[in-house]
Amino acid sequence: MGSLHLGRLVRIELPDDVLAHVHTVLLAKLRVHEPILLGWTQSDGRHEEVLVNPSMPIVVVYDVDEERRLDRGRLHRLLASANSVGGLQLDPETLDATRATAAEIAEAGSGASAGGA
């Protein structure tokens, strides 16, 4: 479980694969100097949000030091969410949906290669 630190007060713990995708989306938005509303649900059920802007320090700490593979479809869905009025919401439903779709794509890819061999 990695962590995303925004400013000095906000720390969000996320699985490394999710963290890599969120990190990429944040960088994409901040590179063009666009703030991004980021929301998440705490383990106790409270929902919190922060408006991330280009002047905030952002620290990303991964649990495991290894190269991360990014799923293009997952990135597109997260970017679409980030560009919406509600911002990028890291609620369990959103995270489960992006994980499930990534797993389906991986299964389809391995099935297609196995069937073509």
Side-chain angles (χ1 to χ4, degrees):
M1 185 76 70
S3 59
L4 173 65
H5 304 259
L6 304 166
R8 293 184 175 161
L9 301 176
V10 177
R11 176 183 172 173
I12 307 167
E13 291 190 0
L14 296 166
D16 281 359
D17 65 318
V18 173
L19 182 57
H21 287 79
V22 170
H23 184 202
T24 302
V25 169
L26 288 175
L27 289 177
K29 296 288 283 180
L30 296 176
R31 277 190 186 127
V32 293
H33 300 282
E34 291 182 9
I36 177 173
L37 181 63
L38 178 64
W40 66 97
T41 303
Q42 294 286 6
S43 58
D44 63 3
R46 289 180 300 128
H47 185 75
E48 297 186 8
E49 294 183 340
V50 63
L51 184 62
V52 181
N53 65 66
S55 66
M56 290 178 90
I58 296 175
V59 177
V60 177
V61 180
Y62 292 99
D63 186 41
V64 178
D65 188 25
E66 64 184 30
E67 186 176 342
R68 279 146 200 86
R69 298 187 67 169
L70 298 175
D71 178 85
R72 186 177 296 259
R74 195 173 185 181
L75 283 174
H76 283 293
R77 284 184 295 284
L78 291 174
L79 273 169
S81 175
N83 289 327
S84 72
V85 174
L88 180 56
Q89 298 298 317
L90 303 177
D91 54 33
E93 294 81 26
T94 302
L95 297 178
D96 288 344
T98 61
R99 277 196 194 120
T101 306
E104 290 167 7
I105 291 169
E107 271 184 32
S110 66
S113 63

